[in-house]
Amino acid sequence: MYYPEQLAKLIESYQKLPGIGQKTATRLAFHTIGMADQDVNDFAANLLAAKRELQYCKICGNLASGEICEICSDPNRDKSQILVVEEIRDVTVFERVGEYHGLYHVLHGTISVFDNVTPDDINIKSLIRRLHDNIVQEIIIATNASSEGETTAMYLSRLIKPAGIKVTRLAHGLAVGSDIEYANEVTLIKAVENRQEI
Amino acid sequence: MYYPEQLAKLIESYQKLPGIGQKTATRLAFHTIGMADQDVNDFAANLLAAKRELQYCKICGNLASGEICEICSDPNRDKSQILVVEEIRDVTVFERVGEYHGLYHVLHGTISVFDNVTPDDINIKSLIRRLHDNIVQEIIIATNASSEGETTAMYLSRLIKPAGIKVTRLAHGLAVGSDIEYANEVTLIKAVENRQEI
């Protein structure tokens, strides 16, 4: 289909975003032409600012305005615990809850045989380096309860345990407030396996 | 949830796009940080270029690189026919088929009682101005077969017919290649109403 070059290029840019195909990209590009000048200028400026000024923390892989993120540079955090998550947004989930006071490590993905993601492709090497200082006493693995998340957790556990560091995994079981009737089978099995004395 | 200012602003910009809520905007913003520098720079440049260099044609409302679009400035188009569509992308649909050689008029919407869109809110006035030159002999209304599209078609017909200009509407009926079994009721009724001698 014929579009002016400027529109075709914008459609192309929108298509590079995850989950946005040609149809949606076209709709977004047409919408952009009709947006207020100020909004489009802001959009472009915000894209550049976020990309230029934000980077991954050199220590933990979290989002940072400088070289080291706010959490890693906070002297009040418990440096003996590292909670390992798949994505930066998982950090914000734990921070919102506010009950965890240790440090984080963001893997930026999971080991995946299907997608051909090997341990070298995700942020594991820098996690191992962090263990050398003998301050860390526990690694809490908080990858998702998917098969990739489980694979990654098992890999990390086997890699770290021999160094004499405690490795734990978030508990699996019934979600608080949920009905047993609607729980899936695997969750129910895990909930029975991990039952606790009351 | 806490995010660095640059990220929060980018999320805000993404949220101004149609159909993108806070969750998707957040996902897109995080993705942007991980994109190649070149892709983000291009994205920002393409946004600005499209917005600055493209505008609505002063005559028909179609997308134009200058004041007048390519179709309105083409001396080979049949200036006695104007095909009225709801959106710019409808123009590209007809142009792709390539069987229509007249001019277009883009309404940029439809009259809608629900959404409080009045005839003054869409591109109707400039359509009426185009009829004053006595060159136009037929207005072909190609609004969608929705209730808003029908309302708009009826409105335009009543407005234009008294000026002695022929007003037509795209035929409604069975889609070519479709099964009667799966046609919806209204389509079947229209198909019977508009039956033609063979």
Side-chain angles (χ1 to χ4, degrees):
Chain A
M1 195 174 306
Y2 165 78
Y3 290 126
E5 196 198 349
Q6 298 94 330
L7 193 75
K9 278 187 172 177
L10 183 57
I11 294 173
E12 217 175 89
S13 280
Y14 273 124
Q15 268 189 275
K16 289 193 177 155
L17 297 174
I20 292 189
Q22 203 190 340
K23 266 197 169 175
T24 309
T26 306
R27 195 165 52 88
L28 294 178
F30 273 122
H31 178 85
T32 308
I33 313 293
M35 275 167 71
D37 277 345
Q38 188 59 47
D39 283 345
V40 179
N41 290 344
D42 285 351
F43 190 5
N46 291 340
L47 276 170
L48 296 174
K51 180 66 190 163
R52 278 180 197 156
E53 295 165 26
L54 294 179
Q55 46 183 301
Y56 295 147
C57 171
K58 288 255 189 298
I59 298 173
C60 75
N62 187 16
L63 221 49
S65 297
E67 291 218 323
I68 310 298
C69 78
E70 289 204 353
I71 295 171
C72 285
S73 30
D74 184 345
N76 296 319
R77 306 290 299 214
D78 178 356
K79 293 189 168 29
S80 69
Q81 291 184 319
I82 296 180
L83 193 140
V84 180
V85 293
E86 292 182 14
E87 303 292 348
I88 291 168
R89 49 183 175 269
D90 299 332
V91 173
T92 56
V93 173
F94 281 99
E95 285 301 288
R96 189 177 39 178
V97 175
E99 288 291 312
Y100 175 73
H101 305 291
L103 301 178
Y104 292 94
H105 195 85
V106 182
L107 296 176
H108 295 292
T110 46
I111 299 168
S112 168
V113 180
F114 273 116
D115 298 332
N116 207 16
V117 181
T118 70
D120 286 343
D121 295 327
I122 61 177
N123 194 22
I124 287 182
K125 273 186 195 157
S126 67
L127 173 62
I128 303 307
R129 271 200 300 275
R130 293 176 73 180
L131 307 180
H132 293 336
D133 58 9
N134 289 322
I135 296 171
V136 179
Q137 284 163 24
E138 184 179 359
I139 298 288
I140 305 164
I141 301 179
T143 50
N144 289 329
S146 62
S147 71
E148 287 88 357
E150 293 291 340
T151 307
T152 309
M154 287 309 296
Y155 178 87
L156 287 176
S157 167
R158 283 180 199 170
L159 194 69
I160 297 167
K161 262 189 178 166
I165 293 167
K166 190 174 164 190
V167 180
T168 57
R169 177 107 175 83
L170 292 191
H172 287 148
L174 296 171
V176 176
S178 68
D179 271 15
I180 287 181
E181 190 179 351
Y182 302 118
N184 66 58
E185 274 181 42
V186 183
T187 302
L188 270 182
I189 293 168
K190 290 274 186 189
V192 173
E193 267 177 23
N194 303 334
R195 66 192 180 279
Q196 292 182 307
E197 212 169 288
I198 50 171
Chain B
M1 195 173 305
Y2 165 78
Y3 290 126
E5 196 198 349
Q6 298 94 330
L7 193 75
K9 279 188 170 175
L10 182 57
I11 294 173
E12 217 175 88
S13 280
Y14 273 124
Q15 267 189 276
K16 289 192 176 156
L17 297 174
I20 293 190
Q22 204 192 340
K23 267 197 167 175
T24 309
T26 306
R27 196 164 53 88
L28 294 179
F30 272 121
H31 178 85
T32 308
I33 313 292
M35 277 167 71
D37 277 346
Q38 189 58 47
D39 283 346
V40 179
N41 290 344
D42 284 352
F43 190 4
N46 291 340
L47 275 170
L48 295 174
K51 180 66 190 164
R52 278 180 197 154
E53 294 165 26
L54 294 178
Q55 46 184 301
Y56 295 146
C57 171
K58 288 255 189 297
I59 298 174
C60 74
N62 187 16
L63 220 50
S65 296
E67 292 218 323
I68 310 298
C69 77
E70 289 203 353
I71 296 170
C72 284
S73 29
D74 183 346
N76 296 321
R77 307 290 300 214
D78 178 356
K79 294 191 166 26
S80 70
Q81 290 185 321
I82 295 180
L83 190 140
V84 179
V85 292
E86 292 181 15
E87 304 293 346
I88 291 168
R89 49 183 175 270
D90 299 332
V91 172
T92 56
V93 173
F94 282 100
E95 285 300 288
R96 189 177 38 177
V97 175
E99 288 293 311
Y100 174 73
H101 305 289
L103 301 176
Y104 293 94
H105 195 85
V106 183
L107 296 175
H108 295 292
T110 46
I111 299 168
S112 167
V113 180
F114 273 116
D115 298 332
N116 207 15
V117 181
T118 70
D120 286 343
D121 295 327
I122 61 176
N123 194 22
I124 288 182
K125 273 185 195 158
S126 66
L127 173 62
I128 304 306
R129 271 198 301 274
R130 294 176 74 180
L131 308 180
H132 292 337
D133 58 9
N134 289 323
I135 295 170
V136 179
Q137 283 162 26
E138 183 179 359
I139 298 287
I140 305 163
I141 302 179
T143 51
N144 288 330
S146 61
S147 71
E148 287 87 357
E150 293 292 340
T151 307
T152 309
M154 288 308 297
Y155 178 88
L156 287 176
S157 166
R158 283 180 198 169
L159 193 70
I160 296 166
K161 263 189 177 165
I165 293 167
K166 190 173 165 190
V167 180
T168 57
R169 177 106 175 84
L170 292 191
H172 287 148
L174 296 170
V176 176
S178 68
D179 270 17
I180 287 180
E181 190 179 351
Y182 302 118
N184 67 58
E185 275 183 40
V186 184
T187 302
L188 270 183
I189 293 168
K190 290 275 185 188
V192 173
E193 266 178 23
N194 304 332
R195 65 192 179 279
Q196 293 182 306
E197 212 168 289
I198 51 171

